[in-house]
């Protein structure tokens, strides 16, 4: 979903940029066309107008009141003066034959054809507020156009024709609007948009395929890792009690002994034995015996949360605890375990110390030194367990030197 969202955002951004770029192209094209018209106007104005033959389509300008507007050549040909504005209007009428149309308009048009439409009128007001040009998309006769308009300023050569209107040099006397049909650029835009859409669709599909393949590969790898982890856990877990087994215990105690030796802190051990477990099996059967082992293991396991502590099945009905704590703390922990098992209230009809299943524990603690090994701690805890059994069971024995 994130990939699709990113591709969609990219497509939307590029589509928007393309449309804006198309509008910029149209605006720039209109600017150049406008500059070209203004240049033609300047050329005409620099010559004070241009005389052309009077024809059916080119009649004397009734709005041009100057001497010598109409003259006759020596050979009798009738000529009339075409001023810049009149020439621009004639060119505007001819522009209908091309894709680009333009219109000359002003604030107070004398000619009907020079009246501004709504878009041009708003542009003229914008020029009065100091805006240099106006561009955008508008509608003419129901068709969409890219539109551009810039003002026309009165220059010295224009005063002769427009002085009766009260204009002075530098005034804005109107503007020329340039209109480019949207259809002439939309074809390019639509082609570009189609290419962008297809490209993004291809990229999206390729990305989805790659993501799918990556997901499948990751899923397969995770499955293999889970299987490997399960095999590893099975290798180090007792299948009956789900506690760490003797193999894990051996690796753990070697690592913890080295760490305690390096940092010189005490390490402690508890050896645990279920009281009269053989009689339990003989009376209730091995299935109940297995259930008893699982219950005792589950009960004691609840008290071990620190990564530096371990409770493991040592063998048969024996368990062992290894913890990074001192002699006082290990005795407290041992007593907690003894009470927790007794409070299970699991019936033991053949026990000689209680009607319920109980445990005997032997605790020992030592600060490791170079001339000792973990076996010495194990021996001490085992001796303490022997003392607990010898003195009545269901109790904690403490090793004493």
């Amino acid at each position: 979903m994130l990939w699709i969202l990113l591709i969609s955002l990219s497509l939307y951004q590029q589509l928007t940029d393309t449309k804006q770029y198309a509008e910029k192209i149209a605006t720039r094209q209109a600017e150049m066309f406008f500059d070209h018209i203004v240049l033609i106007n300047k050329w005409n104005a620099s010559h004070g107008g241009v005389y052309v033959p009077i024809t059916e389509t080119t009649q004397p300008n009734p709005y041009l009141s100057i001497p010598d507007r109409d003259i006759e050549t020596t050979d009798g040909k009738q000529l009339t003066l075409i001023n810049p504005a009149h020439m621009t209007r004639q060119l505007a009428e001819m522009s209908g034959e091309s894709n680009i149309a333009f219109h000359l308009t002003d604030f107070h048009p004398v000619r009907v054809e020079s009246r501004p439409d709504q878009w041009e009128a708003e542009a003229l007001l914008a020029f009065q507020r100091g805006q240099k040009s106006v561009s955008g998309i508008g509608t003419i006769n129901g068709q969409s156009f890219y539109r551009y308009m810039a003002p026309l300023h009165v220059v010295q050569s224009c005063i002769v024709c427009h002085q009766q209107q009260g204009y002075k040099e530098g005034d804005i006397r109107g503007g020329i609007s340039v209109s480019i049909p949207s259809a002439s650029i939309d074809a390019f835009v639509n082609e570009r948009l189609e290419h962008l859409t297809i490209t993004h669709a291809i990229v999206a599909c390729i990305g989805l395929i790659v993501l799918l393949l990556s997901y499948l590969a990751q899923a397969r790898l995770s499955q293999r890792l889970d299987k490997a982890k399960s095999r590893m856990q099975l290798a180090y877990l007792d299948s009956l009690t789900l506690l760490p087994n003797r193999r894990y215990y051996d690796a753990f105690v070697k690592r913890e002994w080295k760490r305690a030796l390096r940092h010189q802190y005490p390490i402690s051990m508890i050896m645990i034995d279920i009281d009269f477990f053989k009689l339990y099996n003989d009376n209730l059967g091995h299935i109940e015996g297995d259930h008893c082992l699982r219950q005792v293991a589950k009960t004691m396991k609840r008290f071990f949360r620190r990564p530096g502590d371990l409770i493991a099945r040592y063998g048969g009905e024996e368990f062992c605890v290894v913890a990074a704590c001192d002699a006082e703390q290990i005795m407290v922990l041992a007593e907690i375990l003894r009470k927790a098992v007794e409070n299970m209230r699991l019936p033991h009809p053949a026990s000689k110390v209680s009607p319920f299943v109980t445990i005997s524990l032997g605790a020992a603690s030592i600060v490791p030194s170079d001339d000792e090994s973990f076996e010495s701690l194990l021996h001490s805890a085992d001796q303490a367990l022997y003392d607990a059994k010898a003195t009545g069971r269901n109790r904690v024995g403490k090793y004493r030197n």
Side-chain angles (χ1 to χ4, degrees):
M1 292 299 294
L2 180 60
W3 174 250
I4 294 297
L5 178 61
L6 290 175
I7 291 295
S8 300
L9 289 175
S10 174
L11 177 60
Y12 174 78
Q13 183 62 47
Q14 293 198 43
L15 293 180
T16 302
D17 291 344
T18 299
K19 292 179 180 179
Q20 292 176 349
Y21 183 65
E23 189 171 345
K24 289 180 180 179
I25 291 176
T27 301
R28 182 55 186 155
Q29 188 175 2
E31 286 178 348
M32 292 188 293
F33 195 86
F34 175 88
D35 293 340
H36 187 66
I37 296 300
V38 171
L39 181 63
I40 294 175
N41 261 275
K42 287 182 178 179
W43 176 85
N44 185 301
S46 68
H47 292 286
V50 178
Y51 283 98
V52 300
I54 297 175
T55 65
E56 292 184 2
T57 57
T58 304
Q59 293 294 311
N61 185 357
Y63 305 100
L64 183 61
S65 301
I66 60 171
D68 300 327
R69 185 195 69 179
D70 302 318
I71 61 173
E72 184 177 346
T73 63
T74 55
D75 59 356
K77 183 178 292 185
Q78 299 294 316
L79 301 177
T80 186
L81 185 67
I82 302 296
N83 65 332
H86 193 53
M87 182 188 67
T88 303
R89 289 188 181 93
Q90 285 190 327
L91 290 173
E93 293 173 359
M94 296 175 62
S95 68
E97 302 174 3
S98 65
N99 285 332
I100 301 179
F102 66 95
H103 181 227
L104 177 64
T105 185
D106 54 49
F107 294 108
H108 309 291
V110 178
R111 295 172 179 265
V112 175
E113 60 269 21
S114 297
R115 292 177 183 176
D117 60 22
Q118 183 177 355
W119 188 88
E120 292 171 332
E122 293 176 357
L124 289 172
L125 292 175
F127 298 155
Q128 288 182 328
R129 296 192 296 267
Q131 192 165 330
K132 301 299 183 182
S133 64
V134 176
S135 62
I137 299 178
T139 303
I140 302 175
N141 297 326
Q143 293 185 351
S144 178
F145 284 83
Y146 291 101
R147 305 197 69 180
Y148 172 83
M149 187 171 178
L152 287 175
H153 295 274
V154 176
V155 296
Q156 183 60 41
S157 58
C158 299
I159 299 297
V160 177
C161 299
H162 297 282
Q163 59 183 350
Q164 71 273 16
Q165 295 174 286
Y167 287 120
K168 59 181 181 295
E169 188 175 0
D171 287 347
I172 298 175
R173 63 181 176 88
I176 296 177
S177 68
V178 181
S179 301
I180 301 175
S182 298
S184 63
I185 296 179
D186 286 348
F188 159 76
V189 174
N190 292 335
E191 183 180 358
R192 172 66 177 166
L193 296 182
E194 184 179 352
H195 288 168
L196 284 173
T197 303
I198 293 174
T199 301
H200 279 73
I202 293 174
V203 172
C205 290
I206 293 175
L208 288 175
I209 292 173
V210 171
L211 289 173
L212 178 60
L213 293 176
S214 299
Y215 172 78
L216 293 176
Q218 181 66 31
R220 181 174 295 181
L221 178 61
S222 297
Q223 189 177 21
R224 290 179 178 178
L225 289 175
D226 289 341
K227 288 181 179 179
K229 185 177 180 181
S230 297
R231 288 194 293 267
M232 183 176 294
Q233 288 177 342
L234 290 175
Y236 287 101
L237 285 182
D238 176 64
S239 59
L240 178 64
T241 62
L242 298 182
L243 291 178
N245 58 18
R246 182 68 176 271
R247 179 186 298 178
Y248 185 86
Y249 158 83
D250 290 337
F252 181 86
V253 295
K254 289 179 181 178
R255 183 174 66 250
E256 290 302 311
W257 180 266
K258 291 180 180 179
R259 185 178 299 169
L261 178 62
R262 183 167 59 252
H263 297 287
Q264 282 297 286
Y265 60 74
I267 185 170
S268 301
M269 184 174 185
I270 305 173
M271 290 299 295
I272 305 168
D273 188 73
I274 300 177
D275 294 329
F276 303 107
F277 187 71
K278 184 177 183 304
L279 296 178
Y280 188 96
N281 274 336
D282 292 343
N283 279 268
L284 299 178
H286 289 284
I287 294 178
E288 288 298 322
D290 290 345
H291 175 71
C292 175
L293 287 172
R294 282 194 293 267
Q295 289 298 105
V296 170
K298 182 178 180 181
T299 298
M300 294 191 296
K301 186 179 180 180
R302 290 180 302 151
F303 299 95
F304 295 88
R305 295 288 184 268
R306 298 190 310 172
D309 296 341
L310 170 73
I311 180 170
R313 186 182 182 190
Y314 195 76
E317 69 274 17
E318 288 188 318
F319 302 88
C320 65
V321 171
V322 179
C325 60
D326 57 26
E328 182 178 350
Q329 292 169 327
I330 200 65
M331 288 297 294
V332 172
L333 176 59
E335 183 61 24
I336 290 174
L337 296 176
R338 188 196 67 78
K339 289 182 179 180
V341 172
E342 187 176 31
N343 291 336
M344 287 168 48
R345 314 293 285 181
L346 186 64
H348 189 335
S351 175
K352 299 179 181 180
V353 294
S354 171
F356 305 106
V357 171
T358 59
I359 55 175
S360 296
L361 308 92
S365 183
I366 191 174
V367 176
S369 61
D370 292 330
D371 56 351
E372 290 181 304
S373 65
F374 187 81
E375 282 72 15
S376 60
L377 178 61
L378 175 60
H379 176 75
S380 298
D382 194 57
Q383 185 62 47
L385 174 61
Y386 178 81
D387 292 343
K389 289 181 177 182
T391 55
R393 300 179 185 262
N394 190 23
R395 65 188 62 203
V396 179
K398 181 179 181 182
Y399 177 73
R400 303 179 185 280
N401 292 327

